[in-house]
Amino acid sequence: MIILAIIAIYISGHGYVITAIQKTILKGYTTTNIDDHPDFKNHVIHAGNPQLWPLHEKYNQIQLTDTLRNELETFQTIGFAIIQDGKLLYEEYWDNYSDESLTNSFSMAKSVTTFLLGKAIEEGYIKSLHQPITDFIPEFQNDSLGKLCTVGDLSAMTSGFDWSEEYYTPFNPTTEAYFGKDIEKMLLKRKFSHQPGGKFKYSSADTQLLAIVLKRATRKNLADYLSEKFWTPMGMEHDALWSISGGIEKSFCCIHSNIRDFARLGQLLLQEGNWNGTQLLDTAFVKQMVTPNYKAFDANEPKKYGYSIWTDENHQPAFYGMMGHLGQRIIIIPEYNTVIVRLGKMKDKRSLGKGHLDTDTYYFVDEVVKMLKK
């Protein structure tokens, strides 16, 4: 019966489900895990000459609050770091992980993909956020809604693409995107279901479509473009990996790097695209990324998303950041000139009414601010 079931799954076109089971349930997981890069083919994001983080004069001399330590350890954090004023103030690792450990970014990669979009616009590969995606993906030219979609819609997640975002059930497009063999072929078979440019709807497909746009526009792999324009000039300490499917990077997830290098991505946003005096990403574009896309939300909704960046303007202090599936976090607090990075195996799914983003983000922001005030 098991053999017949497996055969039926393959015949039905859902062979990716078997792969998903092999790489999750049979390894003791209920979903993807942070150490899964050996399970996939990867492109290398090459580093150049490393620039070590300067250490803050009080490096590791401050203590985590009891509340913060409890939050971090309860949800299986493997690394936590605080950057203040461009210097490494605090870092700690758990469970034999270190500052060299490569773990999965999950959806923080969506923000990085929009970094590449900004650079591609600056370099003339793409005209603007308003350019139709059909200039690069003519496969949607006969889709009455698809031909109205812009590259900006993909970054802001207002594309109207037909997609179901689900991480814990096998028969859904997100699982197929993660474990399937050819993500581009899979996406280009689908359609648009709603008017582009309308309401925000979180969708990994949007970022993956953006990857197709970028690869066709630049004629470069995303990993190579990222290495050339950001990873090398920012002095990342280590090469990173970007998992691929059918030859293209899984841009909605799956950059595997370490906590110090992830922190540099947050620092670049905090510095409005400037790195050591060089403008790597246009300041106006960065500001647009971190500002909520107000028109994508109803009047009574929290304005929580810009261009691939999560935001909470109403919290005190206000913050924005890059967020991943299992609690991967790069949080920027401009008022305190601070970047927080958290990597781990679980996220806090409790709904405690702290704000419209995940509960853990508010613990990280509020407790770190308490530490800084001391």
Side-chain angles (χ1 to χ4, degrees):
M1 290 181 66
I2 293 174
I3 293 174
L4 289 174
I6 292 173
I7 293 172
I9 289 173
Y10 274 108
I11 291 175
S12 68
H14 294 96
Y16 67 88
V17 173
I18 303 300
T19 304
I21 292 172
Q22 291 172 334
K23 298 182 186 302
T24 56
I25 295 173
L26 295 185
K27 291 186 175 183
Y29 302 106
T30 59
T31 185
T32 53
N33 70 88
I34 64 173
D35 298 311
D36 67 356
H37 68 268
D39 291 338
F40 302 96
K41 293 180 179 180
N42 300 278
H43 284 156
V44 178
I45 306 167
H46 294 283
N49 297 319
Q51 303 169 13
L52 300 181
W53 275 108
L55 299 184
H56 195 283
E57 61 181 7
K58 294 186 178 180
Y59 170 73
N60 273 9
Q61 295 178 27
I62 61 174
Q63 299 293 318
L64 297 178
T65 67
D66 291 342
T67 299
L68 180 53
R69 181 168 292 280
N70 180 68
E71 179 74 12
L72 293 171
E73 295 181 354
T74 298
F75 296 98
Q76 298 182 35
T77 296
I78 62 96
F80 188 76
I82 304 169
I83 310 296
Q84 188 181 43
D85 298 330
K87 298 178 180 179
L88 183 59
L89 174 62
Y90 186 90
E91 64 180 334
E92 185 172 352
Y93 301 91
W94 290 261
D95 198 19
N96 296 318
Y97 288 84
S98 73
D99 61 333
E100 297 184 359
S101 300
L102 298 185
T103 62
N104 200 328
S105 68
F106 295 115
S107 289
M108 294 197 303
K110 293 179 169 71
S111 308
V112 178
T113 302
T114 289
F115 283 18
L116 298 181
L117 170 60
K119 199 65 182 178
I121 292 173
E122 180 183 330
E123 295 188 325
Y125 292 114
I126 297 172
K127 294 176 183 177
S128 72
L129 291 174
H130 305 295
Q131 187 168 4
I133 67 168
T134 49
D135 286 356
F136 309 98
I137 313 179
E139 290 90 337
F140 291 128
Q141 188 62 53
N142 294 325
D143 186 318
S144 61
L145 295 174
K147 66 183 182 181
L148 302 176
C149 182
T150 68
V151 293
D153 288 325
L154 298 179
S155 177
M157 299 206 176
T158 56
S159 74
F161 193 68
D162 183 21
W163 191 259
S164 174
E165 192 77 11
E166 174 56 59
Y167 305 128
Y168 292 91
T169 59
F171 294 96
N172 71 83
T174 308
T175 302
E176 184 175 0
Y178 200 91
F179 293 103
K181 295 182 179 180
D182 193 334
I183 194 171
E184 181 171 331
K185 182 178 179 182
M186 172 229 175
L187 282 175
L188 297 182
K189 287 181 178 180
R190 300 182 71 87
K191 302 290 184 182
F192 288 75
S193 58
H194 295 85
Q195 183 81 12
K199 299 303 178 185
F200 168 80
K201 181 185 177 184
Y202 190 77
S203 168
S204 289
D206 284 14
T207 310
Q208 195 60 47
L209 288 171
L210 184 55
I212 298 172
V213 168
L214 285 165
K215 185 173 183 180
R216 293 183 180 184
T218 64
R219 298 184 181 181
K220 299 177 182 180
N221 289 327
L222 270 66
D224 291 340
Y225 198 40
L226 178 58
S227 174
E228 177 187 348
K229 300 303 176 182
F230 296 100
W231 218 257
T232 297
M234 291 175 66
M236 299 298 192
E237 295 184 28
H238 298 281
D239 291 348
L241 300 173
W242 203 337
S243 298
I244 63 173
S245 171
I248 191 170
E249 288 80 358
K250 293 191 287 189
S251 64
F252 67 96
C253 69
C254 308
I255 294 174
H256 303 266
S257 186
N258 62 80
I259 202 161
R260 289 188 177 189
D261 287 344
F262 279 137
R264 286 177 170 83
L265 300 175
Q267 190 68 28
L268 184 67
L269 289 176
L270 179 61
Q271 295 171 177
E272 298 183 342
N274 190 282
W275 194 264
N276 290 341
T278 300
Q279 200 67 36
L280 298 182
L281 194 56
D282 181 68
T283 296
F285 187 84
V286 173
K287 289 180 178 179
Q288 194 162 8
M289 283 184 70
V290 306
T291 302
N293 184 19
Y294 298 108
K295 67 179 183 179
F297 300 93
D298 292 333
N300 59 345
E301 282 186 292
K303 313 303 185 284
K304 60 185 178 182
Y305 206 74
Y307 284 84
S308 301
I309 295 290
W310 295 95
T311 69
D312 191 335
E313 290 188 320
N314 296 322
H315 188 72
Q316 296 297 325
F319 66 93
Y320 57 84
M322 306 159 65
M323 314 289 178
H325 170 44
L326 296 178
Q328 285 65 39
R329 307 286 184 243
I330 302 173
I331 301 171
I332 298 91
I333 313 175
E335 181 179 340
Y336 287 85
N337 204 26
T338 293
V339 176
I340 302 168
V341 185
R342 183 270 183 187
L343 304 177
K345 300 178 181 180
M346 296 174 60
K347 76 172 181 179
D348 188 344
K349 296 182 180 180
R350 297 175 297 172
S351 179
L352 302 182
K354 287 180 171 290
H356 57 256
L357 300 179
D358 288 330
T359 290
D360 54 66
T361 59
Y362 296 97
Y363 276 117
F364 301 152
V365 170
D366 295 345
E367 296 305 310
V368 166
V369 167
K370 289 178 184 178
M371 294 164 59
L372 297 178
K373 286 183 175 179
K374 287 184 179 181

